[in-house]
Amino acid sequence: MAKHMNFLYLKQGNEDPQWCYDNFIQYRSMKSSDNVRQQLARIMDRFALKRTSTDFNSKDYYMNIRKALVSGFFMQVAHLERTGHYLTVKDNQVVQLHPSTCLDHKPEWVLYNEFVLTTKNYIRTVTDIKADWLIRNAPQYYNMDNFPQCEAKRVLERLIAKLQAREYTSSTQA
């Protein structure tokens, strides 16, 4: 499970600073995330937007949260290259997953919150995502005409061709 999901899971009912300290969680970060959630709720209420959530027991619950993260952080994505390192999308920075990352595997695509520069380039607070979510959520940003040459571009071009063929097939059958 990705770090973003861990924050969500931990948030549920854990307002106690001592509990956060005992479980190595930054209380300030928990409060900050709660403040953002409250701000979003107020904005939705002000514009009379319906608040809907996927049922917690649904198999789509975590996937929908990851898709929502992609909608907001589509520019902060890295792709796992064949050489075993990650390359940030568009600016082609070689990065590694930060040692604090809680993923138990190296996904092909990751969304990250922080770019940490030490003796190495690290990305921290990462979530496993799918390439088609990028294309569907940010088609202008993932326009291949404006994309640098890299392995990620080739992967995305193949995926776009596959999605277009699928759309074409479904439109001719209708």
Side-chain angles (χ1 to χ4, degrees):
M1 182 167 18
K3 195 147 197 175
H4 292 101
M5 299 304 124
N6 285 345
F7 286 146
L8 180 65
Y9 177 75
L10 291 171
K11 173 65 187 115
Q12 297 173 358
N14 295 311
E15 298 289 332
D16 179 25
Q18 185 60 46
W19 182 92
C20 290
Y21 178 81
D22 292 344
N23 290 280
F24 307 100
I25 305 297
Q26 291 184 2
Y27 178 72
R28 190 177 60 198
S29 296
M30 295 292 279
K31 291 303 287 182
S32 176
S33 68
D34 192 45
N35 287 337
V36 169
R37 188 193 64 75
Q38 290 175 13
Q39 288 174 21
L40 291 171
R42 285 193 302 271
I43 291 168
M44 291 182 75
D45 291 346
R46 186 172 62 230
F47 290 105
L49 298 171
K50 182 180 175 187
R51 290 193 231 170
T52 58
S53 295
T54 305
D55 182 69
F56 182 73
N57 295 315
S58 169
K59 66 178 180 58
D60 295 330
Y61 181 75
Y62 288 110
M63 183 179 60
N64 287 344
I65 293 168
R66 290 170 36 223
K67 285 180 178 180
L69 287 168
V70 167
S71 293
F73 293 101
F74 60 87
M75 295 174 67
Q76 293 173 223
V77 172
H79 178 257
L80 180 62
E81 302 292 299
R82 282 181 287 208
T83 57
H85 66 272
Y86 282 93
L87 207 59
T88 58
V89 169
K90 291 263 183 147
D91 56 358
N92 286 344
Q93 293 286 318
V94 175
V95 294
Q96 295 180 7
L97 298 180
H98 192 272
S100 67
T101 298
C102 60
L103 292 174
D104 59 356
H105 65 293
K106 287 179 88 173
E108 182 179 7
W109 296 90
V110 292
L111 172 145
Y112 61 92
N113 273 74
E114 299 173 82
F115 186 100
V116 180
L117 183 58
T118 60
T119 55
K120 298 178 182 175
N121 293 341
Y122 288 110
I123 50 176
R124 185 166 52 193
T125 313
V126 298
T127 296
D128 182 354
I129 62 169
K130 305 291 181 208
D132 61 308
W133 301 346
L134 299 169
I135 294 163
R136 290 188 172 120
N137 282 303
Q140 298 85 0
Y141 189 78
Y142 287 91
N143 178 337
M144 294 298 105
D145 295 337
N146 304 321
F147 222 84
Q149 287 299 325
C150 61
E151 190 176 330
K153 179 177 183 173
R154 291 185 289 282
V155 170
L156 290 170
E157 285 174 331
R158 286 192 303 271
L159 179 60
I160 290 168
K162 183 179 174 182
L163 292 172
Q164 288 173 341
R166 191 177 300 156
E167 287 175 18
Y168 175 77
T169 303
S170 64
S171 68
T172 58
Q173 293 175 352

